Amino acid sequence: MNRKDVWRYKSLEQLENKRWEPATEHDSIVTKRCIALSKVPVIKLTASDLRVLIGQSFNPNYLVPLAIEKLKDDLFVEADLYPGDLLKNVLDVPPPFWEEHQELHQDMKQMIRSRAVEVASEIDLPGYWQS
């Protein structure tokens, strides 16, 4: 294992050095799921898990690279809702993230360009990606 990839075997709680309080009966299903997922090594997160966490604005520094790996295998992977739901949540990550992570930004632009017709017909592209 490459030393720079050690982070993949840690949970979001470990990576962020942040402990989430246990879920309560009053928490929503999404909140309960996110709390549970924050304790799982990020390498074990599924496309569905990534969609939920990214959609709930959990740390994109760790989650977006993993999501992009899944999107490279299948750009329109269905992560529980509809084909392309993971792609949509990744594209909804705010522009400052993409501006700070140019390599990931270029990867996404290349994937979108390579299937531009399908993307345009399947996904409502956020303004940041419409060029």
Side-chain angles (χ1 to χ4, degrees):
M1 171 180 32
N2 189 332
R3 289 184 82 90
K4 71 177 187 166
D5 289 333
V6 170
W7 66 271
R8 294 169 177 269
Y9 297 89
K10 296 182 179 184
S11 68
L12 284 174
E13 278 193 347
Q14 292 170 315
L15 291 165
E16 296 176 344
N17 197 25
K18 177 180 183 178
R19 302 235 0 128
W20 289 89
E21 294 296 320
T24 69
E25 64 186 47
H26 303 292
D27 289 327
S28 71
I29 292 170
V30 173
T31 299
K32 289 176 184 176
R33 183 172 178 190
C34 288
I35 290 171
L37 291 173
S38 72
K39 300 171 186 330
V40 174
V42 295
I43 197 162
K44 292 186 176 184
L45 297 173
T46 66
S48 175
D49 298 335
L50 291 167
R51 178 191 57 80
V52 169
L53 289 167
I54 291 169
Q56 294 299 311
S57 301
F58 276 70
N59 196 325
N61 293 316
Y62 301 112
L63 302 176
V64 168
L66 297 171
I68 288 175
E69 289 174 11
K70 295 194 183 297
L71 294 171
K72 284 180 179 178
D73 290 337
D74 180 0
L75 188 60
F76 292 98
V77 62
E78 183 173 338
D80 288 340
L81 300 177
Y82 55 88
D85 54 358
L86 177 60
L87 174 61
K88 177 64 173 142
N89 278 16
V90 168
L91 295 177
D92 283 340
V93 171
F97 171 83
W98 298 107
E99 292 161 6
E100 187 176 318
H101 297 87
Q102 284 298 308
E103 185 176 318
L104 296 175
H105 183 219
Q106 292 305 316
D107 284 348
M108 284 306 306
K109 283 175 41 176
Q110 183 179 9
M111 284 190 285
I112 291 169
R113 270 193 231 116
S114 71
R115 297 185 62 188
V117 173
E118 289 171 280
V119 170
S121 67
E122 297 292 328
I123 302 289
D124 184 21
L125 282 175
Y128 180 76
W129 295 96
Q130 292 183 8
S131 57

